[in-house]
Amino acid sequence: KPSPVKSAVFSVPSYACQRRTTLENHNTVLTDALSLLAENAELSDEDGRGVAFRRAAAVLKALPSAVMSISQLSGLPCLGEHSLRVIKDIWENGASSEVESTKVSERFKALKVLTGIFGVGAKTADRWIREGIHDLHQLQNSGQTLNRAQQAGLQHYDDINQPVTKAEACAIEEIVEKAVSSVLPGAQIILTGGFRRGKQTGHDVDFLITHPEEGREVGLMPKVVSWLEAQGFLLYQKTTRNSYLESKADGPGRPPSNMDRFERCLSIFKLPKMEKQGAKDSQNVTENCLQANQKSDEPECPEAAPDRRWRAVRVDLVVSPISQFAFALLGWTGSKLFERELRRWARYEKGMSLSSHALYDNNQRKYLRASSEEEIFAHLGLEFIPPSERNA
Ligand code: 8DG
Ligand code: MN
Ligand code: MN
């Protein structure tokens, strides 16, 4: 018997870069479940399965309303047998048995805790688990050698695993702005990553730095880092120099990986707490930060001090020459799935290679220039999707 209220059949295009995905998600129960399975696959070195779950979740995120019946899903792309089974399970039993058993599994819990350490990826976590290390306490007592990133990650574990707020991102933006304009007047910074997509919290803060005159940006990162270090804003940093020209030997159309080759800095900021700061003196964040950093005495164990006046925040800085700026901006705005889908669309639908540096047309055998994100979407034959609708 047909139900009295007919639910519409949804229809969405199959690439995430063809869709508008806002932060308003009407199917969080389903997408949370599929995202958890994606995360588990990624942590288990099963990237193929991870992407499949991410794509399925992204399709549900793009729906204009909550799914009311399984029949509405027929004809939707990217919903494989496995994802449909998970959805049906939630539908019929209120929860997916696979998701629930993953959540409580010792292995998943250990992978989550260990990869929560900055500098620890799935491979390292897996090795430690095989050696019987399941938590931070066991890691500290294991005698494992940690690299500098991992030591900093362990030291600031609680702070780094606490979401960064939009207000904190803005405070850091002011600091980076001041650093950049002090060492190279005219240089520009832009907040990228999740905050550019309108998210209210993030796991880090991402910035792209450039200068309107090509070439002036060369060597900028070490100067910015020195400035930040001298002002006491950095708890950890690792700068990698630009290696884009060296990589040209890899040949166009065959980028070695999705990693780009910009001059970049992965860092942990020491951000002075802002709670006593009213909205009226928000223009003075940098001044107040400087004072707070100068006043603070370093305790033996920084994270343990109960009323310390700062917190650790992960910050990514990337420097791009202006000629590649549009590509870098598009590449660093995310979401990760949206980026992956753009590259897949470029390759399989257009015969082009997209990276955070350039767009290469394999048929015309030439690079396609762009000075804005809009131009890149146009080259790709895609409708422009603004950052706030790239939350796939
Ligand atoms: P979050 O921090 O709020 O949790 O989310 P996010 O801002 O979307 O994630 P992210 O991990 O900070 O990544 C932001 C964007 O930066 C994302 O689109 C992927 C991109 N990105 C990296 N590393 C690299 C890289 O090595 N090369 C390129 N091209 N992009 C990268 O994170
Ligand atoms: Mn981010
Ligand atoms: Mn980042």
Side-chain angles (χ1 to χ4, degrees):
K1 243 188 351 191
S3 59
V5 183
K6 264 253 166 91
S7 312
V9 170
F10 296 115
S11 156
V12 301
S14 62
Y15 287 85
C17 54
Q18 297 173 288
R19 309 190 291 252
R20 296 178 181 273
T21 312
T22 63
L23 289 165
E24 195 183 355
N25 176 351
H26 304 280
N27 291 283
T28 49
V29 173
L30 300 178
T31 57
D32 286 351
L34 292 168
S35 300
L36 184 128
L37 295 180
E39 188 181 14
N40 185 237
E42 287 157 1
L43 291 174
S44 308
D45 203 24
E46 296 174 359
D47 286 343
R49 272 157 60 89
V51 175
F53 286 128
R54 295 268 175 224
R55 285 205 190 113
V59 164
L60 300 181
K61 283 183 198 171
L63 299 181
S65 60
V67 179
M68 303 302 281
S69 78
I70 286 289
S71 62
Q72 285 179 289
L73 299 177
S74 66
L76 284 181
C78 309
L79 296 180
E81 198 190 323
H82 197 154
S83 294
L84 283 172
R85 192 163 72 234
V86 172
I87 294 169
K88 283 196 184 115
D89 208 4
I90 295 173
W91 206 259
E92 287 161 10
N93 309 312
S96 149
S97 52
E98 186 180 0
V99 171
E100 296 311 307
S101 66
T102 301
K103 268 188 200 164
V104 297
S105 86
E106 291 306 319
R107 185 179 159 75
F108 180 70
K109 285 192 286 185
L111 282 167
K112 284 278 282 185
V113 168
L114 296 175
T115 57
I117 305 169
F118 170 65
V120 177
K123 284 218 173 70
T124 303
D126 178 67
R127 194 182 77 234
W128 287 345
I129 291 169
R130 281 189 277 109
E131 293 176 30
I133 299 165
H134 290 78
D135 58 36
L136 303 186
H137 192 71
Q138 289 171 341
L139 177 62
Q140 270 160 328
N141 295 330
S142 69
Q144 287 282 340
T145 334
L146 303 182
N147 64 30
R148 210 168 55 85
Q150 294 162 346
Q151 286 172 25
L154 200 52
Q155 209 171 3
H156 304 293
Y157 188 87
D158 291 339
D159 273 6
I160 289 176
N161 284 283
Q162 184 194 319
V164 185
T165 64
K166 176 80 198 187
E168 287 167 333
C170 291
I172 291 171
E173 184 172 26
E174 261 191 63
I175 296 166
V176 176
E177 177 90 57
K178 185 150 183 171
V180 165
S181 64
S182 302
V183 301
L184 181 62
Q188 293 160 3
I189 73 156
I190 179 161
L191 186 60
T192 62
F195 287 111
R196 182 163 185 252
R197 302 197 307 275
K199 282 178 61 179
Q200 288 305 303
T201 60
H203 96 281
D204 69 357
V205 192
D206 307 282
F207 294 99
L208 182 57
I209 306 169
T210 191
H211 191 284
E213 257 176 78
E214 184 87 0
R216 294 287 300 279
E217 80 294 342
V218 173
L220 180 53
M221 190 72 86
K223 290 181 194 152
V224 171
V225 168
S226 296
W227 190 96
L228 291 168
E229 220 144 39
Q231 306 285 344
F233 282 119
L234 293 182
L235 294 161
Y236 166 90
Q237 67 84 17
K238 186 174 166 64
T239 304
T240 319
R241 64 179 178 38
N242 183 315
S243 59
Y244 182 56
L245 290 173
E246 293 158 32
S247 77
K248 283 277 171 92
D250 301 333
R254 274 172 288 126
S257 73
N258 297 332
M259 291 290 285
D260 66 49
R261 290 159 178 275
F262 289 118
E263 192 174 24
R264 79 174 60 186
C265 176
L266 305 187
S267 74
I268 302 174
F269 258 57
K270 178 178 181 176
L271 178 67
K273 290 234 171 92
M274 305 178 295
E275 56 237 330
K276 288 185 201 79
Q277 209 146 358
K280 58 174 187 286
D281 50 13
S282 66
Q283 70 270 32
N284 268 332
V285 173
T286 320
E287 285 310 317
N288 295 340
C289 288
L290 292 176
Q291 286 163 18
N293 270 349
Q294 278 152 13
K295 267 183 276 176
S296 71
D297 312 304
E298 287 300 331
E300 282 290 307
C301 181
E303 296 280 87
D307 59 347
R308 65 195 158 94
R309 296 192 296 278
W310 56 273
R311 71 161 287 200
V313 179
R314 273 274 300 112
V315 175
D316 286 341
L317 306 173
V318 183
V319 171
S320 154
I322 191 76
S323 60
Q324 299 171 18
F325 179 74
F327 298 99
L329 181 59
L330 180 59
W332 280 83
T333 297
S335 68
K336 286 208 176 81
L337 184 75
F338 192 89
E339 302 296 335
R340 185 183 262 278
E341 294 280 277
L342 273 175
R343 293 192 296 267
R344 192 166 68 97
W345 167 272
R347 179 167 301 275
Y348 295 106
E349 305 298 328
K350 296 284 153 181
M352 297 179 185
S353 307
L354 175 68
S355 74
S356 294
H357 297 278
L359 178 62
Y360 185 78
D361 186 327
N362 298 311
N363 303 311
Q364 296 186 67
R365 294 179 179 233
K366 66 172 193 188
Y367 285 96
L368 304 178
R369 303 199 162 278
S371 55
S372 67
E373 290 184 321
E374 283 83 351
E375 287 175 63
I376 303 172
F377 279 86
H379 281 317
L380 291 170
L382 288 169
E383 192 184 340
F384 178 68
I385 310 286
S388 62
E389 295 175 329
R390 296 180 202 159
N391 287 291

